[in-house]
Each structure stands twice: as structure tokens, then as C-alpha cells.
DNA sequence: CAGTATCCTGCTCGATACTG
DNA sequence: CAGTATCGAGCAGGATACTG
């Protein structure tokens, strides 16, 4: 059975499950965003923080390191005057993109459906966004 | 209480993001499994509990209700002697399957890679994937 | 069998402060 | 700029007990 000592009881549903494995990676609801913003081009720590405004440095750092330890992201330190680091997706990391896109696709539908269902159960015409 | 009220600060990254939307659904690391086990055929509450041994009734119930409220799952009460209920995926719910499969696919690779990295640490550096 | 209520654990997150 | 340490808060989840 695979997975080593997966955290604790919580966040550790079925053992050795591929699905759980990648899900654990997308954990925290931030990792997918990190991967997403990294997909276009390599980005620096600060840029990612800017891309994902509400993420804290603590969490971004943690996710990045986790992603790196799993071989999904690479970290390259540039020795510029103010030290900077550049993160990029590895080929394996890129394989997560289709899944993320598929998720986003359904998410889009869920949003549409939700909006439809709440404002016009019979004739949805007006689309008011909060 | 749809999903407009974005829980709290935690678990509420970017606003109105499709990705976040579906991710919120897969939240808890259990929902995907529920969907997965429901994909083959409709199942009853107890069967799902059996399929996913470590899930508690409380959580399974919560997930099922959430999935139902989002229109991803239907619930049908059968009036048998001991009352039973049957859950099934809706067409929309089925649209989540490709995403889940994509996730599982990458998960599989992650596990393989991890196992490789642990049993052949010195022989083969696992830097490059594939 | 199906499902809910209560209690308790602990993980993840954000804010803040600090180091290299 | 990049990243870590500490602190407190909130939510998910397990276990158990109980109802229909």
C-alpha cells in the first residue's frame, strides 16, 4: 500500500488511491491556482502572491515546497541584486493541467446553473451579477 | 444558502472562479470518491458507507446533501420494509467524471514516481520524469 | 437501514513579525 | 524580494448516541 504516513486520520481517506493522491495535492484550495498561474510561464514568488492576492506567504511557500517535493514544480534561484526565485511547472506538473481545466469547465457550469436556478426558475433572461 | 455566502475567509480563495467552484465541491477529499462509486451504478447509503469504509455517516450524509443541492446527485427514497434510499449521478454529475479520471491518472503517476524515488534513491535520480 | 445531533480533535489558513 | 516562525481562528472530520 502505497502512501507513506499520510498526515493523520483526517485528510486520509482511502489508502493508495490515485485519486486521493492528486486530491491531496490540490489540497487547501490553493495549489490548483498556483499550478494554473504557473502554466502560462515561470513566475516568481512575489508575482504569484500578486496573482493570487488572498494567499498568504506562509501558505504559498508551503504549497510551492510541497509541489516541488512531488516533482511538479521546479525552483530556480536567480542571483540578482534583490534575490529572487523562479518557479515553473515540470512536465509532470503540466499533466495536471487537463484535470484542472476539466474541473474549471464543470465549475463554470455549476456557476451558470446556480445562477439560473436562483433568479429565474421559469424564464431566465436577466443575468444580474451581485 | 447556496454557495454565494463563501464560507469564511478560509476555503474561499478567488471569487467567482470556476476552478474554485468545483474544487469546493470536491472538498473534504470525500466527494470525489462518492461520485466515483456512484458512477458505476446507483447506490444506497449503506452501500456507499461500505464502499468507502472510513467515511463517517455524518460526512457521507453531508456530502450527499451538498451534491444533491448542486444538482449533481439525485436521491430516491424506496419504500421498502426497512426504508432505503438510492443515490445516482445526474448528467451534470457525470460531467465531473472526466475531471476525476484525469486527477486519478496523475495521481497514479505521482504514486509511481514516489515509489521510484524511495526505493532507488541513489541509483536513479528521479529528477526527470518519464 | 437511513440519517441527524453533539462533542472533540487537529489541520490549514491568514495576519504579523522577523531573517537572509 | 524571498521565505520562515509564531499565534489564534475556523471548518472538516471521526466517534458515539439517538430517532424514524
Amino acid at each position: 500500500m502505497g502512501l507513506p504516513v499520510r498526515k493523520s486520520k483526517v485528510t486520509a481517506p482511502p489508502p493508495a488511491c490515485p485519486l486521493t493522491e492528486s486530491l491531496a495535492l490540490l489540497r487547501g484550495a490553493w495549489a490548483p491556482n498556483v499550478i494554473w498561474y504557473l502554466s502560462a510561464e515561470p513566475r516568481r514568488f512575489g508575482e504569484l502572491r500578486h496573482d493570487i492576492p488572498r494567499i498568504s506567504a506562509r501558505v504559498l511557500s508551503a504549497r510551492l515546497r510541497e509541489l516541488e517535493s512531488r516533482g511538479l514544480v521546479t525552483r530556480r534561484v536567480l542571483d540578482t541584486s534583490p534575490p529572487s526565485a523562479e518557479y515553473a511547472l515540470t512536465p509532470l506538473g503540466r499533466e495536471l493541467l487537463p484535470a484542472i481545466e476539466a474541473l474549471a469547465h464543470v465549475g463554470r457550469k455549476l456557476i451558470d446553473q446556480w445562477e439560473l436556478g436562483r433568479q429565474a426558475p421559469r424564464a431566465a433572461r436577466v443575468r444580474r451579477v451581485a
Side-chain angles (χ1 to χ4, degrees), chain A:
Chain A
M1 258 269 282
L3 318 218
V5 218
R6 210 100 212 92
K7 283 303 140 53
S8 69
K9 56 180 179 181
V10 164
T11 318
C17 169
L19 179 53
T20 301
E21 197 50 34
S22 38
L23 234 30
L25 216 97
L26 303 188
R27 168 184 55 173
W30 284 123
N33 283 288
V34 171
I35 293 175
W36 180 260
Y37 284 109
L38 238 33
S39 70
E41 60 187 332
R43 292 186 85 67
R44 289 184 298 124
F45 192 87
E47 292 179 315
L48 286 172
R49 286 195 72 179
H50 180 264
D51 290 335
I52 321 171
R54 313 202 186 137
I55 197 173
S56 63
R58 176 175 149 10
V59 172
L60 177 55
S61 177
R63 289 295 151 267
L64 248 15
R65 278 194 291 149
E66 185 172 355
L67 256 18
E68 189 190 357
S69 75
R70 293 274 199 297
L72 298 171
V73 162
T74 57
R75 177 192 149 159
R76 193 169 57 122
V77 177
L78 315 169
D79 60 315
T80 49
S81 7
S84 55
E86 197 171 77
Y87 296 88
L89 287 184
T90 63
L92 181 58
R94 291 201 165 275
E95 291 189 39
L96 227 28
L97 289 174
I100 290 178
E101 278 165 33
L103 242 21
H105 177 69
V106 177
R108 185 69 249 153
K109 286 206 170 191
L110 283 172
I111 292 175
D112 291 346
Q113 180 195 259
W114 168 70
E115 289 181 344
L116 259 159
R118 72 189 275 252
Q119 52 193 11
R122 328 164 56 169
R125 295 286 301 165
V126 189
R127 298 192 48 181
R128 281 182 50 195
V129 183

